[in-house]
Amino acid sequence: MKQYVEVVVVIPVGPGSNIEFVSDTINSYIFYTGTSYKIIIADDSHQGLGTKLKDAFPDVDIVYTRKAMGGWAGLYITLSLAFKYALTHFDFKTLAKLDTDALVIGPKPEAEALQLFESTPTIGIAGQYPSDYHGKPWDIGWPRKRILNGTTTWKFIRRPYANWLLNKLHKRALLNGYNTGESVFGGAYFMNEKLLVKLDQAGLLPDYKMKSQNLGEDHLFALMAKAEGFDLGNLSDNGMPFACSWKGLPASPEQLFREGRKIIHSTRYWQNMPEQEIRDWFCNKRSETA
């Protein structure tokens, strides 16, 4: 019998992951969550990081890859294995994916996602979308070019099996209003359990043919969501939980905390402030409110 939790949290770790930083990200979610949850570590490190995290957090579950998958489309494989594990073992409403340099900084980080998926069940993925923190639309030129190269040019023959599937998904997604290359930013996001069920039924959790694609996991999951008839959702405007940027924080820790943001990315730096100082700053805020 499956265990019921409202939220499943999946955190992928690789060989370069800092276990202290991963632990801090886990602690930040545990501290601020307002509901029942299960944390799953998707371990692609092949260095025993999952085992070490299990020792530190006995309640987490670990899903190991049989061989190293790496980043980009390889991360799609790693995450898909964890997503399928979640569907097999738990009944839940939403799944949160957090990179190791994402951090939870505000109470009830899942509240808006739960409300959004309940009120609009056709939304499959939600987070930093369609614009960055400063309101500038994401540049989708790079993934757009990769998708079109693989589906409409002679480069199709470079990866015939993978591009056949990519072309099939792309055509279906276009019929559902897909803007080629668009995605919810991949550093942290929520997924609707209904979408995950559809992806599993379609044999996409995972489809190993996609491993050779030169695309990010967020690009692939967005494409698959649109192909299955789901939309992408915005949880990043003013007053909403997400404040994400690709490299470094989108604003100072003080500003993000003052704005009431709840999920941030990336903690790697802010101007001349290194990751350890950023994490210490937010850890102190947790201590002040404990």
Side-chain angles (χ1 to χ4, degrees):
M1 185 175 181
K2 295 182 183 180
Q3 178 184 350
Y4 174 77
V5 293
E6 281 204 299
V7 183
V8 169
V9 181
V10 173
I11 302 175
V13 299
S17 297
N18 182 316
I19 193 167
E20 292 183 359
F21 292 165
V22 180
S23 297
D24 185 53
T25 294
I26 293 172
N27 280 323
S28 74
Y29 183 82
I30 293 173
F31 181 85
Y32 282 116
T33 187
T35 190
S36 58
Y37 65 91
K38 168 59 70 172
I39 295 174
I40 298 172
I41 302 298
D43 186 3
D44 189 46
S45 71
H46 295 265
Q47 295 177 352
L49 291 184
T51 301
K52 293 176 182 178
L53 288 166
K54 181 71 172 178
D55 290 340
F57 302 92
D59 290 336
V60 306
D61 286 5
I62 314 296
V63 177
Y64 298 94
T65 54
R66 293 184 178 180
K67 63 180 182 178
M69 291 290 110
W72 298 103
L75 181 55
Y76 151 74
I77 303 293
T78 298
L79 288 171
S80 292
L81 294 172
F83 295 169
K84 189 175 183 69
Y85 177 92
L87 289 173
T88 302
H89 293 85
F90 302 98
D91 284 321
F92 56 95
K93 292 184 178 179
T94 185
L95 182 147
K97 183 260 187 173
L98 299 175
D99 274 354
T100 57
D101 54 342
L103 196 68
V104 179
I105 67 167
K108 299 181 180 180
E110 63 286 304
E112 289 82 358
L114 288 168
Q115 182 178 13
L116 179 64
F117 293 147
E118 182 176 356
S119 64
T120 315
T122 54
I123 292 179
I125 311 173
Q128 187 78 45
Y129 169 85
S131 303
D132 68 18
Y133 170 82
H134 299 289
K136 182 180 179 180
W138 289 113
D139 181 1
I140 64 172
W142 184 86
R144 177 182 177 85
K145 182 178 180 180
R146 295 297 183 275
I147 293 170
L148 293 179
N149 278 346
T151 58
T152 62
T153 75
W154 65 268
K155 293 183 179 180
F156 179 93
I157 62 176
R158 286 185 174 180
R159 306 179 182 91
Y161 294 108
N163 284 334
W164 172 83
L165 177 57
L166 186 70
N167 187 49
K168 177 182 175 182
L169 292 169
H170 185 228
K171 286 181 176 179
R172 289 171 53 196
L174 289 174
L175 293 175
N176 293 321
Y178 175 59
N179 182 15
T180 302
E182 69 174 331
S183 66
V184 176
F185 177 71
Y189 51 79
F190 286 99
M191 298 184 79
N192 190 338
E193 185 262 357
K194 292 181 175 62
L195 168 62
L196 291 168
V197 169
K198 286 286 188 180
L199 296 181
D200 189 37
Q201 291 172 344
L204 294 170
L205 290 182
D207 190 315
Y208 284 92
K209 290 192 293 291
M210 301 303 285
K211 171 67 169 63
S212 62
Q213 290 293 348
N214 189 18
L215 289 164
E217 46 91 15
D218 48 350
H219 308 135
L220 291 172
F221 280 124
L223 172 63
M224 293 173 182
K226 294 296 290 189
E228 293 298 326
F230 287 83
D231 294 319
L232 309 180
N234 177 3
L235 286 174
S236 57
D237 286 342
N238 290 336
M240 291 185 173
F242 282 85
C244 298
S245 184
W246 180 32
K247 295 181 178 180
L249 291 179
S252 69
E254 294 87 349
Q255 180 173 328
L256 296 172
F257 191 80
R258 184 171 62 250
E259 289 178 353
R261 300 291 183 160
K262 300 181 181 182
I263 301 172
I264 62 171
H265 181 283
S266 160
T267 57
R268 293 186 185 275
Y269 62 85
W270 163 250
Q271 297 181 348
N272 294 324
M273 191 177 188
E275 183 162 12
Q276 187 63 66
E277 289 185 21
I278 290 171
R279 288 183 176 275
D280 288 345
W281 194 93
F282 286 111
C283 184
N284 289 335
K285 286 297 180 183
R286 296 200 297 270
S287 297
E288 290 172 6
T289 59

